[in-house]
Amino acid sequence: MASYHRSFLWRLVFFGVPVAAFYYFFWQVSNWEEPLAGPAATNEGELTEGYRTMALILGAVAAIPYLGLMLRFSDRVQITEEYVRSRRLLTNRTILWRELIEYESFPNYIHLAPADESLGIYIDYHMTFRKPMELARVISRKAREADANRSGRRRRRRLLICELGLVPTIVLVIASGLFLFFLRQRIVFVGVFAGIVLALVSAWVWVTTRRQPDRWKSGGSIYVTLFLLALILPPLYFTQGLMAKGYKTVAMFGALYLVGLFAGSGVMMALLPNRAKR
């Protein structure tokens, strides 16, 4: 019997980054005072409570998808000559190879379905498993031996607007680090944590809606709404004391937030890789 599970290092990083970011963010926004350089609100000292509240709100929004993904990504896949089994913390599903009707392999998930599709097995983000290509090859070989149908349905690779790629993500992470080191702008921290939360929510939305044939209408609208809220509301709240200093100052403040937002979401999305298309 062959057994495949998520990489321990990947799980440590993927689920450790949000917790570490929250505690570090909360500590920093509670202790920083005036920025060293760059835009500062006229009532900067009075906004400390607002930063704390924003951190708590973002943490509360992230709690359900964080725990949901932790449960979802606890799965282990076992493959024998007779069956394939997906074992999770609370549920187990087994499909006999002779009962397999349909097999789908997409860049970011594998779907195995018997006659009753509700009993199917989804292996989400299979590139995060140890030996992911071996897992995909073994399942593909056993599916061919079982004469399972290969689905021709087109599916979107990810439910993400800010899928940035490796190079832009590295640039934004370095930029946000420099801004934090030289400017000590708390709005960058808001952006980084908001991006992390947005990525967690979008991944959870995708996992819970990907069974929908047209999941863009279900998951996409949710994600677009959250993206717009994350893009507009935090900087809108914290720029209230900057308007008197001119639009250039407000624009710089918003740019700092955007750098953090895309850096945070880019890091989390880089940890959910797709299989390269051949």
Side-chain angles (χ1 to χ4, degrees):
M1 178 178 67
S3 181
Y4 302 89
H5 55 84
R6 309 274 174 180
S7 166
F8 174 77
L9 179 61
W10 175 83
R11 281 189 289 186
L12 182 65
V13 174
F14 185 80
F15 292 108
V17 167
V19 175
F22 172 77
Y23 282 106
Y24 190 60
F25 169 40
F26 191 79
W27 181 78
Q28 294 288 8
V29 300
S30 299
N31 290 278
W32 282 11
E33 296 178 355
E34 290 290 328
L36 295 180
T42 54
N43 57 338
E44 183 74 22
E46 300 174 8
L47 291 177
T48 299
E49 190 61 37
Y51 281 110
R52 289 176 184 163
T53 302
M54 185 64 67
L56 293 174
I57 291 174
L58 289 172
V61 170
I64 293 177
Y66 179 86
L67 295 174
L69 288 173
M70 183 176 289
L71 181 64
R72 185 75 195 182
F73 291 152
S74 67
D75 54 344
R76 178 188 298 266
V77 179
Q78 297 176 338
I79 300 176
T80 70
E81 292 299 318
E82 290 78 29
Y83 63 81
V84 56
R85 175 176 295 157
S86 175
R87 301 175 63 91
R88 294 200 187 100
L89 188 61
L90 300 178
T91 61
N92 293 325
R93 285 195 176 181
T94 301
I95 298 177
L96 298 177
W97 289 116
R98 65 174 182 271
E99 296 176 352
L100 186 66
I101 301 297
E102 190 174 60
Y103 160 65
E104 301 175 291
S105 180
F106 295 100
N108 60 344
Y109 76 97
I110 296 172
H111 178 211
L112 301 168
D116 186 351
E117 191 173 350
S118 64
L119 300 177
I121 292 175
Y122 285 89
I123 306 174
D124 295 303
Y125 295 108
H126 55 281
M127 292 303 294
T128 61
F129 277 77
R130 292 188 61 198
K131 301 179 181 179
M133 301 312 295
E134 178 183 312
L135 170 64
R137 284 196 302 268
V138 171
I139 290 179
S140 178
R141 177 173 58 83
K142 298 299 294 184
R144 286 197 305 269
E145 293 174 359
D147 293 326
N149 296 324
R150 290 293 299 269
S151 173
R153 289 180 292 178
R154 297 182 62 186
R155 297 289 180 92
R156 302 177 69 89
R157 292 191 309 157
R158 290 183 182 174
L159 187 59
L160 295 170
I161 292 177
C162 46
E163 184 179 344
L164 304 174
L166 181 60
V167 174
T169 298
I170 292 175
V171 171
L172 287 167
V173 170
I174 293 175
S176 61
L178 292 174
F179 286 142
L180 289 171
F181 183 77
F182 290 107
L183 304 183
R184 296 182 73 82
Q185 286 282 343
R186 293 190 288 186
I187 193 63
V188 181
F189 271 114
V190 177
V192 170
F193 192 51
I196 290 174
V197 173
L198 183 65
L200 286 173
V201 171
S202 66
W204 175 242
V205 167
W206 186 87
V207 166
T208 56
T209 63
R210 49 128 166 74
R211 295 187 184 187
Q212 306 276 342
D214 190 8
R215 61 186 170 84
W216 174 250
K217 291 183 179 179
S218 54
S221 58
I222 297 173
Y223 178 67
V224 169
T225 301
L226 292 173
F227 179 78
L228 292 176
L229 291 176
L231 193 68
I232 296 171
L233 293 183
L236 186 65
Y237 173 78
F238 290 110
T239 54
Q240 55 187 318
L242 291 173
M243 295 303 296
K245 298 185 178 182
Y247 290 107
K248 288 185 179 180
T249 303
V250 173
M252 184 185 299
F253 197 75
L256 291 172
Y257 172 78
L258 282 178
V259 169
L261 178 72
F262 286 114
S265 60
V267 166
M268 296 304 291
M269 292 293 77
L271 293 172
L272 292 172
N274 287 330
R275 185 185 72 242
K277 289 186 175 181
R278 295 182 179 179

